Structure formats: structure tokens, C-alpha cells
């Protein structure tokens, strides 16, 4: 009873290796995901304070957002960063780039709570690019998928403005955007 032979040692070491491998494979990625979220949150606050966004240096902010998305791809707030990345183009009135960035965000993060706002901005970009039919399509998508969101109210208002003016002559009012924020 008191003797341990070589087969017991092999069995115990194999069992120990299996346990360590299991813990390594399951807990370590979880640790890094949580840790990267913490690091990303600190990095995000730095972006807003020092990264150019609040100063109106949208090119600098966009580069910082891009670096953050590359450095912390599994962050729990990566969709927020992608949104602000797209908004930098919007604020610079680079409508085509903004539209592409918003479309990419909608594709990459289809479950984001920001999706109604992303779609709304896509519609505004279409308006600025003189694509009223595409804008109406996007605004209607908001009304269908997110009828209770505030962005649905803004989308409905834009559609009404377009129908009152005739979509061929539709020009987007800056005051409407300010009201929507």
C-alpha cells in the first residue's frame, strides 16, 4: 500500500499535464481578453484626452483609433472605437470615406448597440453624396429594424424632409444633424 511505482508516477504526471493544459487553454485567453479590455479602456480615455479627437485633429484621432483597433481586437468596446473612427471622416466631411467606414463597422459588428446610429450616419452620408434613393433605403431599414430607437425618429424626419422637397432636389440641412445629436 505505501509503495508508489513508476506507473503511478506516469499516470499522475499525465493527469497533471492534462489539467494544466486545460487551464492554460481556457483561463489564459479569458485573462488576456479581460486584461486587454482594461488596457483598451485606459487607451480609449487617452485617445479622447490627448489623441486629437477633442482638439478637432481628426486625422490624428483616426490614426490613434486605428492603432487601438489593431492592438486590442478583442476589446469589449471595439465597436465604439470603430464608430469613432468612422465619425472622424464624417466630421471632416469626407462623406465617401465615412460611408465606407460605417459600412465596414456594420459588417464587422452587426450586433453592436450603435447599429441604429451607424445606419443613420450612413443615410446622411448618402444624402451628402447626392444619393437620395440609397439614403431612403437606409433610413427605412432603421425604421423597420429599430422602430423604438431615437434614431428611427431622426430617420423618419429625414425621409419626411426629402419627400417635402422632392428627393431629386434634396439637400441635407446641417441643423438637422445638430438636432439629431
Amino acid at each position: 500500500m505505501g509503495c508508489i511505482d513508476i506507473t503511478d508516477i506516469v499516470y499522475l504526471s499525465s493527469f497533471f499535464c492534462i489539467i494544466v493544459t486545460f487551464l492554460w487553454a481556457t483561463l489564459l485567453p479569458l485573462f488576456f481578453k479581460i486584461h486587454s479590455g482594461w488596457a483598451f479602456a485606459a487607451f480609449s480615455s487617452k485617445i479622447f484626452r490627448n489623441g486629437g479627437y477633442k482638439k478637432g485633429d481628426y486625422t490624428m484621432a483616426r490614426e490613434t483609433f486605428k492603432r487601438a483597433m489593431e492592438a486590442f481586437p478583442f476589446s469589449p468596446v471595439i465597436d465604439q472605437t470603430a464608430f469613432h473612427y468612422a465619425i472622424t471622416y464624417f466630421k471632416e466631411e469626407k462623406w465617401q470615406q465615412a460611408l465606407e467606414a460605417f459600412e465596414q463597422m456594420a459588417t464587422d459588428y452587426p450586433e453592436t448597440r450603435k447599429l441604429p446610429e451607424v445606419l443613420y450616419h450612413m443615410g446622411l452620408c448618402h444624402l451628402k453624396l447626392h444619393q437620395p434613393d440609397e439614403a431612403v433605403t437606409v433610413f427605412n431599414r432603421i425604421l423597420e429594424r429599430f422602430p423604438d430607437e431615437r434614431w428611427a425618429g431622426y430617420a423618419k424626419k429625414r425621409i419626411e424632409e426629402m419627400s417635402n422637397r422632392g428627393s431629386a432636389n434634396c439637400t441635407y440641412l446641417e441643423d438637422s444633424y445638430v438636432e439629431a445629436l
Side-chain angles (χ1 to χ4, degrees), residues 97-149:
Q97 292 97 324
L99 179 60
E100 291 167 7
F102 285 124
E103 287 172 343
Q104 187 65 50
M105 185 193 166
T107 300
D108 291 348
Y109 311 105
E111 300 299 320
T112 179
R113 64 184 177 90
K114 287 267 201 206
L115 189 57
E117 187 174 359
V118 168
L119 293 172
Y120 180 77
H121 282 86
M122 286 170 57
L124 297 180
C125 289
H126 282 298
L127 285 177
K128 285 297 202 172
L129 292 168
H130 306 288
Q131 301 168 341
D133 293 337
E134 290 87 346
V136 169
T137 300
V138 173
F139 290 145
N140 279 326
R141 199 165 137 202
I142 299 168
L143 294 172
E144 291 167 11
R145 290 186 58 194
F146 307 101
D148 298 329
E149 291 281 336

Side-chain angles (χ1 to χ4, degrees), residues 15-165:
F15 180 73
F16 179 73
C17 287
I18 290 170
I19 295 297
V20 168
T21 303
F22 172 77
L23 292 174
W24 184 264
T26 56
L27 296 179
L28 193 64
L30 179 62
F31 170 77
F32 281 116
K33 186 174 184 180
I34 291 169
H35 177 69
S36 106
W38 291 334
F40 186 78
F43 192 72
S44 292
S45 68
K46 181 181 178 183
I47 291 171
F48 283 99
R49 279 190 322 245
N50 308 322
Y53 193 79
K54 286 209 173 201
K55 299 174 191 170
D57 185 354
Y58 299 117
T59 301
M60 179 183 172
R62 189 169 38 254
E63 290 169 8
T64 308
F65 288 131
K66 185 175 182 176
R67 280 197 324 263
M69 291 187 295
E70 291 167 353
F72 305 103
F74 301 111
S75 167
V77 292
I78 191 74
D79 60 328
Q80 302 287 326
T81 306
F83 175 78
H84 289 291
Y85 173 82
I87 282 289
T88 61
Y89 284 120
F90 191 89
K91 288 187 176 267
E92 289 181 317
E93 299 181 3
K94 295 180 177 179
W95 310 120
Q96 187 61 47
Q97 292 97 324
L99 179 60
E100 291 167 7
F102 285 124
E103 287 172 343
Q104 187 65 50
M105 185 193 166
T107 300
D108 291 348
Y109 311 105
E111 300 299 320
T112 179
R113 64 184 177 90
K114 287 267 201 206
L115 189 57
E117 187 174 359
V118 168
L119 293 172
Y120 180 77
H121 282 86
M122 286 170 57
L124 297 180
C125 289
H126 282 298
L127 285 177
K128 285 297 202 172
L129 292 168
H130 306 288
Q131 301 168 341
D133 293 337
E134 290 87 346
V136 169
T137 300
V138 173
F139 290 145
N140 279 326
R141 199 165 137 202
I142 299 168
L143 294 172
E144 291 167 11
R145 290 186 58 194
F146 307 101
D148 298 329
E149 291 281 336
R150 69 180 173 142
W151 299 101
Y154 301 136
K156 185 176 180 182
K157 200 178 256 188
R158 298 299 81 77
I159 291 171
E160 289 170 359
E161 288 174 356
M162 292 170 70
S163 64
N164 289 342
R165 291 189 199 117

